[in-house]
Amino acid sequence: MLFLGVIVAIGTLYESRYNAQVAGMLIYRSWWFNSLLGLLWINIFAATLARWPFKIHHTGFVITHIGLLTLLIGAELTAMWGIDGQMRIIQGETSSTVALPELVIRSARMGSSAVLTHSFNRSLKPQGYIKVPDL
C-alpha cells in the first residue's frame, strides 16, 4: 500500500507540473500501474474472504471491502472505455460542446474546401513519419 501511495503521489506531481495526459502516459495508463491495481484488488478480495464464513459483526467490514472492489473495477472500466473531456460553461450560459484532448493535424489548400485530417495516438514513443498526399 505504501508503494502504491508513493506512485500515486509521483503521478500527482507529474499532473500538477505538466498535465493529466503526461501523467496518464507515464504512470496511470501504464501496464505496471494497472498490475499494481490488480494486485491491490486481489489483496482486498483475499482479505474479504479471510473472514469467511461471515458473521453479523463482519457486515461493515464486508460492505466496505466490496465497495473498494467495486471502485477498482469501475476505475478499470473507465480507463479502458471512458472518454475524458472538458466542457467550459460561463456563468449564466449553456453549452453543448465538449473539448476532447486529441492530437490532430488538419490541412487545407487556400481556396479549397477539402480538409485533410490525421489523428495521432498519444504516446511518448516516436511514431515515425507521415506521408502527406498532394492536395
Side-chain angles (χ1 to χ4, degrees):
M1 275 307 263
L2 181 63
F3 182 66
L4 184 62
V6 169
I7 295 298
V8 169
I10 291 170
T12 302
L13 291 174
Y14 270 102
E15 191 169 349
S16 66
R17 183 169 183 133
Y18 302 105
N19 60 33
Q21 287 78 27
V22 171
M25 286 186 288
L26 291 174
I27 296 178
Y28 299 127
R29 295 183 184 203
S30 64
W31 66 269
W32 55 267
F33 187 77
N34 284 328
S35 299
L36 282 175
L37 291 181
L39 288 173
L40 177 64
W41 194 93
I42 291 169
N43 188 3
I44 294 170
F45 184 72
T48 306
L49 286 183
R51 301 288 175 129
W52 186 263
F54 302 130
K55 296 184 173 74
I56 192 71
H57 66 277
H58 293 147
T59 304
F61 175 86
V62 172
I63 289 173
T64 300
H65 284 74
I66 289 174
L68 290 171
L69 294 172
T70 304
L71 284 172
L72 286 171
I73 290 171
E76 184 61 29
L77 292 174
T78 300
M80 289 171 57
W81 292 299
I83 296 175
D84 190 18
Q86 295 180 352
M87 179 182 284
R88 296 178 188 214
I89 303 174
I90 299 172
Q91 186 174 352
E93 296 183 11
T94 61
S95 178
S96 62
T97 304
V98 176
L100 299 176
E102 62 176 336
L103 291 173
V104 174
I105 292 178
R106 292 187 177 96
S107 60
R109 181 176 286 186
M110 298 267 301
S112 172
S113 62
V115 177
L116 294 174
T117 302
H118 183 79
S119 297
F120 296 88
N121 292 327
R122 290 194 178 269
S123 173
L124 296 175
K125 298 176 185 170
Q127 296 188 17
Y129 296 100
I130 304 166
K131 183 174 182 193
V132 179
D134 293 329
L135 289 175

